[in-house]
């Protein structure tokens, strides 16, 4: 279900469905990137920049993920 929603979002943004987030980073490199806020987990910052998440939600997600350090990689992967 999550994958279908992501594909629809990507199509609406004009990108190809199923695109690799790492590959998309090259396209974003031309835009001025946000400076990583102090204390934000880099993986959370990257995820939120990819999906253009508002700052208030970045902070809330970061707080939650800070409590889940042991499963951080798996959690981030599922959110993509």
């Amino acid at each position: 279900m999550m994958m279908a929603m992501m594909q629809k979002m990507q199509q609406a943004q004009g990108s190809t469905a199923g695109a690799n987030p790492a590959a998309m980073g090259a396209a974003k490199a031309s835009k001025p990137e946000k400076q990583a806020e102090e204390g934000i987990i880099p993986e959370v910052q990257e995820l939120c920049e990819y999906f253009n998440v508002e700052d208030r939600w970045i902070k809330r997600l970061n707080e939650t993920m800070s409590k889940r350090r042991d499963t951080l990689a798996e959690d981030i992967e599922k959110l993509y």
Side-chain angles (χ1 to χ4, degrees):
M1 183 167 98
M2 180 70 163
M3 190 58 128
M5 289 176 25
M6 285 177 36
Q7 288 175 344
K8 287 180 183 178
M9 287 174 42
Q10 289 173 339
Q11 288 172 346
Q13 293 178 347
S15 62
T16 59
N20 182 352
M24 295 298 292
K28 290 184 84 173
S30 62
K31 286 194 219 175
E33 295 198 22
K34 288 184 185 176
Q35 293 293 326
E37 293 186 34
E38 190 174 319
I40 302 294
I41 300 168
E43 292 88 346
V44 171
Q45 185 71 33
E46 182 180 340
L47 173 80
C48 292
E49 286 177 1
Y50 179 76
F51 286 108
N52 198 25
V53 176
E54 293 179 17
D55 289 340
R56 63 185 175 135
W57 297 113
I58 295 172
K59 291 175 185 173
R60 290 186 70 179
L61 179 60
N62 190 65
E63 289 173 12
T64 301
M65 298 306 282
S66 294
K67 299 172 187 171
R68 300 177 54 91
R69 289 283 185 168
D70 55 331
T71 61
L72 178 68
E74 293 87 3
D75 294 340
I76 293 289
E77 185 176 319
K78 286 181 182 179
L79 291 172
Y80 272 109

